[in-house]
Amino acid sequence: MAQVLDSSSVNFQMDPVVLDLGQRFVDAGFELSLVGGPVRDLFLGRVSPDLDFTTDATPDQTLSVIKRWADNYWEIGRAFGTIGMKKSGFQIEITTYRAEAYDDDSRKPVVAFGSSLMDDLLRRDFTINAMALRLPTLELVDPFGGVRDLHAAVLATPGAPEASFSDDPLRMMRAARFAAQLGVAVHDDVRLAMSEMAERIKIISAERVREELVKLINGAHPRAGIDLLVDTGLAEFVLPEVSALRLESDEHHRHKDVYQHSLQVLEQAASLETGPDGPVPGPDFVLRFAALMHDVGKPATRRFEPGGAVSFRHHDMVGSKLTAKRMKALRFDNDTIKAVARLVELHMRFYGYGDAGWTDSAVRRYVTDAGPLLERLHRLTRSDVTTRNQRKAERLSFAYDDLEQRIAALAEQESLNAIRPDLDGAQIMALLGLKPGPVVGQAYKFLLEERMEHGPLSREDAESKLLAWWAAQAETAVELSTEPAADATGGSPEPEES
C-alpha cells in the first residue's frame, strides 16, 4: 500500500506557478502531481528550472486546461502522452499516467496510458525518482521509500531491477549517470542486474546513450559513473576503449595502471575548470572527455622493450583516431568530435620541453596547432601528471609554468592567436605576377613557415624571402624540364636514331 506523507514537515519552497497549475487541473476535474527529478531535487535543496508533472488527463484534456494559461506550448511528445509548455521562465512537461515497455529487439517504447498515480510511479526508473507531490495540496506520495534511499544515498528500483532494465535498458546508463551526478551508491541487486543485462543496452539508440554519457561526464563525480560502467560491463558496449585500459596493468606492475590513471586525469581536469567568466567554464565536456580518452591508444601501441621497459609510441595519434571513431558511433556532432580528438592528439606535445626547452618557433607552433583549444590543452597537460614522485611532478609543473609564460610573452609581441604570413594572397599575386591557383597557396604556406620560424618580418624582408623562394622554384622547374622524359612504361626513352 502506498505511503502518503504530510509534507508540512518538509520545508518545500514551491513557486506559485506550480500551485496555480495544480489548481487549474483540480478545477477542471483532473489530478496533477509534480513528479520525478523536481521532487527529488526539493529534498536535495535544489530548484529545477524544468518541471515534470503527471496527470490522469489525456493529452487533449491537458491542452484544454493549459492553452490559454501557458506562454506557449508544443505537442511534439503527444504520441507518448506528453504536452510541453513554457510559463514564467519554467519549462514544463505534463504527461498522462502511463506504463511503457520495450519489445526484445525494439529501440522505441510501447506506450499505454494508465489511470493510477501509483501505477505510474511503479514504472519509474529509481525510487528517488518515484515520488510525487499532489497539487495543490502538496501531499508527498512516496510508496517505494525514495526519501529513505535519498538519505542513505543508495540507488534502488521501485520493483525488480531486472524488470525495470528489461522495460527500458537505458535505465542502466541512468544508474551510472546518477552515481556521477549525485554521488550515490548503487544497491547490490541493481549492480547485479546491470552486469547480467549489460548487453541489452545495444537495443537503445546511440543518441539516447550519448545524452546520458554527456550528463555522466559532466556530473560532480564522473569517476564514480565511469567505474560503474566498467565494473558492470556496460562500458564494453558504450566505451570499450576505456574498458580496454584495464588490461594495461601487467602482472609485474612494470608501469602504472592506465585505467586508474585516466580516471585521475579526468578528476584533475575537472578541478581545473573555471567559473562562468573564466577561459574554461565548467562543466566542460570536451576537456573532461579528452581527459578520460587521452590514453586509449595505449593498448594498441604497447611494446615491451629490452630490459623490461614498456613503450607506447604514437599512442596519442592512435588514441585520437579511436576517440573520433567512438564519438562518431555515439552520434556526436562534428565540432565536438574534432575538438576532443585534437586534444587527445596534442596531449603529448609538451613532453620534452622541460628537458630541452623550445625555440620561439616551437612555442608558436604549439599555440597555432592548439588554436581555440589552447586553454583546454593547458589543463589537460597539467592534469596528465599523476606521478607520486614529488620531485618529478614539481619539475613538470615548473616547466609548464615556464611554457605558459613564454606563450604570454610572445602573445604580447605577436598576436599568436591569429598568426598569418606577413604578406596576404593579394600581395603575393601582385609581387609574383600570379593569378589565383595552387601556386599562390604554396607561396602562402612558405611565408607561414617563415613566420613560424622567425617571427614577424618587415614587408621588405618578407618580399625578399618570397622572391628568393620563387627564384628557387623556377630553377627547380628548369632542371626538371631538362631531364630525359620517361616513356609510357615508366623506363628511360630509347636514344633517337641518327
Side-chain angles (χ1 to χ4, degrees):
M1 183 175 179
Q3 182 183 12
V4 182
L5 303 179
D6 182 357
S7 66
S8 61
S9 61
V10 183
N11 184 24
F12 290 125
Q13 299 296 319
M14 192 62 61
D15 192 280
V17 73
V18 175
L19 301 177
D20 184 17
L21 181 60
Q23 190 62 55
R24 287 175 180 274
F25 269 78
V26 169
D27 292 345
F30 303 113
E31 298 177 358
L32 186 74
S33 298
L34 185 68
V35 71
V39 179
R40 178 198 69 225
D41 287 347
L42 286 171
F43 282 94
L44 296 174
R46 306 188 307 195
V47 177
S48 174
D50 300 333
L51 300 176
D52 296 327
F53 297 86
T54 189
T55 180
D56 60 345
T58 66
D60 283 343
Q61 291 168 332
T62 294
L63 282 171
S64 69
V65 175
I66 62 92
K67 264 187 176 180
R68 297 182 179 179
W69 177 81
D71 295 333
N72 62 332
Y73 65 91
W74 51 92
E75 305 177 49
I76 297 174
R78 185 186 185 118
F80 298 100
T82 300
I83 300 298
M85 69 200 74
K86 281 194 175 181
K87 178 69 175 181
S88 302
F90 288 99
Q91 183 157 309
I92 295 171
E93 288 190 347
I94 302 176
T95 302
T96 303
Y97 295 153
R98 68 189 187 188
E100 64 183 28
Y102 279 78
D103 292 332
D104 286 345
D105 299 317
S106 174
R107 287 172 178 253
K108 296 182 179 179
V110 178
V111 177
F113 296 151
S115 58
S116 164
L117 174 61
M118 299 306 168
D119 290 344
D120 185 84
L121 295 178
L122 176 61
R123 57 156 286 276
R124 293 182 178 267
D125 52 5
F126 303 105
T127 60
I128 62 174
N129 295 328
M131 300 183 289
L133 278 178
R134 291 188 185 274
L135 299 172
T137 60
L138 294 182
E139 288 180 305
L140 177 64
V141 182
D142 181 18
F144 307 108
V147 173
R148 174 201 65 212
D149 290 344
L150 265 181
H151 287 160
V154 173
L155 203 63
T157 53
E162 296 83 3
S164 180
F165 298 156
S166 180
D167 283 349
D168 186 353
L170 188 66
R171 289 172 175 173
M172 296 185 287
M173 285 293 300
R174 288 197 192 116
R177 187 245 289 186
F178 285 126
Q181 288 182 327
L182 304 178
V184 295
V186 176
H187 196 281
D188 288 345
D189 62 355
V190 172
R191 182 182 292 270
L192 178 60
M194 290 173 67
S195 300
E196 293 178 343
M197 303 178 68
E199 188 172 4
R200 189 158 168 74
I201 197 68
K202 293 195 297 186
I203 75 167
I204 301 299
S205 70
E207 291 81 1
R208 296 184 73 206
V209 171
R210 178 198 66 215
E211 292 306 311
E212 292 297 326
L213 179 62
V214 170
K215 292 174 182 177
L216 184 162
I217 295 295
N218 284 346
H221 314 277
R223 182 173 192 153
I226 294 297
D227 251 340
L228 185 57
L229 290 181
V230 172
D231 289 347
T232 59
L234 269 170
E236 296 288 347
F237 306 100
V238 177
L239 288 175
E241 298 82 5
V242 173
S243 290
L245 293 177
R246 292 182 301 173
L247 302 177
E248 295 311 297
S249 181
D250 65 81
E251 66 275 16
H252 301 296
H253 301 286
R254 287 177 292 197
H255 59 286
K256 70 177 67 175
D257 182 332
V258 181
Y259 171 66
Q260 293 298 330
H261 162 75
S262 297
L263 294 183
Q264 187 176 347
V265 174
L266 168 59
E267 286 185 320
Q268 292 181 172
S271 73
L272 294 177
E273 293 167 341
T274 65
D277 297 326
V280 185
D284 188 272
F285 175 79
V286 169
L287 171 61
R288 292 184 180 203
F289 200 56
L292 176 64
M293 302 293 282
H294 77 285
D295 274 348
V296 296
K298 283 191 170 180
T301 58
R302 181 173 66 168
R303 299 291 182 270
F304 292 100
E305 306 293 349
V310 180
S311 67
F312 303 98
R313 292 188 180 89
H314 307 301
H315 77 271
D316 44 356
M317 302 298 294
V318 173
S320 177
K321 292 177 181 178
L322 289 173
T323 298
K325 182 178 180 181
R326 177 54 46 198
M327 294 182 73
K328 287 176 184 176
L330 289 169
R331 304 290 192 271
F332 278 92
D333 64 277
N334 288 334
D335 288 343
T336 303
I337 293 172
K338 289 179 181 177
V340 175
R342 185 62 165 162
L343 284 174
V344 174
E345 178 186 345
L346 294 175
H347 84 272
M348 292 293 293
R349 184 71 66 87
F350 161 73
Y351 292 95
Y353 177 86
D355 296 327
W358 284 355
T359 62
D360 286 351
S361 171
V363 174
R364 292 187 193 100
R365 291 180 190 280
Y366 188 78
V367 173
T368 303
D369 288 348
L373 299 172
L374 182 62
E375 289 292 343
R376 290 185 174 111
L377 183 58
H378 287 335
R379 285 156 178 78
L380 176 59
T381 304
R382 289 185 180 278
S383 300
D384 197 19
V385 179
T386 62
T387 178
R388 294 180 182 178
N389 184 324
Q390 188 65 27
R391 182 175 296 179
K392 181 179 180 182
E394 290 175 354
R395 177 172 57 81
L396 289 170
S397 178
F398 176 81
Y400 207 84
D401 288 344
D402 184 67
L403 175 58
E404 288 201 60
Q405 291 169 8
R406 293 272 305 282
I407 290 171
L410 283 173
E412 286 186 7
Q413 302 170 22
E414 304 180 14
S415 184
L416 289 182
N417 290 331
I419 289 181
R420 297 290 186 272
D422 297 288
L423 302 177
D424 61 24
Q427 292 169 323
I428 291 171
M429 289 187 288
L431 182 64
L432 302 183
L434 296 173
K435 294 181 178 180
V439 177
V440 178
Q442 294 171 16
Y444 187 93
K445 184 177 181 181
F446 164 76
L447 286 176
L448 181 59
E449 290 293 325
E450 289 294 310
R451 173 72 169 77
M452 289 284 191
E453 192 67 30
H454 304 292
L457 299 172
S458 67
R459 178 163 180 170
E460 292 75 14
D461 288 342
E463 289 179 347
S464 176
K465 284 181 176 290
L466 181 60
L467 289 171
W469 173 84
W470 183 238
Q473 303 308 301
E475 290 178 6
T476 301
V478 170
E479 290 174 1
L480 290 174
S481 68
T482 59
E483 291 179 358
D487 65 12
T489 63
S492 297
E494 293 291 333
E496 296 182 355
E497 293 182 354
S498 58

